[in-house]
Amino acid sequence: MMSVRERFDLDIQAVQNQMLELCNMSISALQRSYQALMEQDLDLALEIIEDDSELNHIEEEINDKVILLIAKQQPVATDLRRLMVITKAASDMERVGDYAVNIAKETIRIGKEPLIFPMTNFESMCQKAIQMLEGIVEAFVHEDTTKAKEIADLDDYVDDLYGATVELLIRKAGENPEAIKQITHLSFICRYLERSADHATNIAEHLFYLVKGRHYELNA
């Protein structure tokens, strides 16, 4: 016969597993949104927008389950901390899914018009954001704060690249006023990639709170 504690541990693990599923889906959505942009694949962009309701549904389910567990079990401080961190991490990853949708929408707005700006920096930002998000999921599973800190430190690289790319886009708009519409769409995409990386840092901070029991600002 399973004890109340064993059942509770299993319930917490199930919610955490659902959060990890949400993480993987959001990271995949971000990868696919960038692919849709580069290939100017409008069907794929539409698919990403349509799939977003599933991400939202999973986040709502996680929140509902956590509220139910807190209400029914009156968890001790460490359990409560874990449950709160799971909801915060799920919220961060759902936002990454939203940024994927936003990139898909900007891709549709650009349409089949040839891209007039070199995409090297975008590629680097996207790869780094994906690396950070995948890394923080792994760190979360193993409760590895050393790895979490390393991932948070990578955010400076993304921020610097974002700043440099926006400057180049503004310069391009000055040289090419007729291209300003596409440059505006690309500026938004640049911002969404930078924000996605920020959420990896947020989750790193949640992990520190989970493991150490106090709040840390890892990228102040």
Side-chain angles (χ1 to χ4, degrees):
M1 184 74 174
M2 195 181 289
S3 71
V4 173
R5 179 70 233 183
E6 285 169 333
R7 164 52 57 195
F8 187 47
D9 285 342
L10 279 178
D11 287 342
I12 291 179
Q13 190 57 53
V15 176
Q16 183 162 310
N17 289 344
Q18 198 169 19
M19 185 272 285
L20 295 172
E21 180 195 354
L22 174 64
C23 292
N24 292 330
M25 288 172 67
S26 294
I27 293 167
S28 171
L30 187 63
Q31 286 173 315
R32 287 161 62 231
S33 70
Y34 188 74
Q35 180 192 341
L37 169 69
M38 292 310 294
E39 296 174 4
Q40 297 189 279
D41 185 338
L42 307 188
D43 290 335
L44 178 57
L46 280 170
E47 202 178 287
I48 292 156
I49 294 165
E50 285 162 10
D51 288 349
D52 187 55
S53 59
E54 192 179 349
L55 287 176
N56 296 340
H57 176 67
I58 292 172
E59 193 214 355
E60 284 166 12
E61 262 193 9
I62 290 167
N63 289 339
D64 290 346
K65 285 176 183 174
V66 165
I67 289 165
L68 199 59
L69 283 172
I70 292 169
K72 282 170 67 179
Q73 302 290 350
Q74 295 178 322
V76 296
T78 50
D79 294 328
L80 187 58
R81 205 157 67 223
R82 181 174 296 278
L83 289 168
M84 297 315 295
V85 162
I86 286 170
T87 59
K88 284 174 178 290
S91 172
D92 275 297
M93 276 299 191
E94 190 275 331
R95 288 296 296 142
V96 171
D98 288 343
Y99 292 131
V101 167
N102 291 344
I103 291 168
K105 286 178 179 175
E106 296 299 338
T107 296
I108 289 167
R109 288 177 187 126
I110 292 169
K112 296 289 187 180
E113 190 183 296
L115 296 173
I116 49 89
F117 189 82
M119 300 302 286
T120 320
N121 285 6
F122 286 80
E123 176 76 24
S124 297
M125 284 178 74
C126 186
Q127 283 181 350
K128 192 61 73 176
I130 298 289
Q131 180 193 340
M132 289 173 70
L133 290 162
E134 287 177 341
I136 201 58
V137 171
E138 190 185 332
F140 199 97
V141 169
H142 299 291
E143 296 188 10
D144 185 344
T145 52
T146 304
K147 186 177 177 68
K149 177 70 173 77
E150 287 167 6
I151 287 157
D153 288 343
L154 294 174
D155 196 45
D156 289 339
Y157 171 87
V158 179
D159 288 345
D160 290 347
L161 202 48
Y162 169 68
T165 308
V166 167
E167 273 187 36
L168 290 170
L169 285 163
I170 290 166
R171 197 176 305 159
K172 183 80 171 175
E175 294 164 0
N176 235 9
E178 70 280 2
I180 201 153
K181 195 175 168 191
Q182 188 186 116
I183 287 166
T184 303
H185 298 315
L186 290 173
S187 299
F188 282 129
I189 289 167
C190 195
R191 179 65 175 154
Y192 301 140
L193 291 171
E194 186 269 335
R195 289 295 296 134
S196 296
D198 284 345
H199 285 285
T201 301
N202 290 353
I203 296 171
E205 289 174 353
H206 303 330
L207 180 57
F208 264 78
Y209 175 63
L210 172 64
V211 173
K212 298 190 179 289
R214 65 190 186 91
H215 295 284
Y216 290 79
E217 265 195 58
L218 298 179
N219 201 13

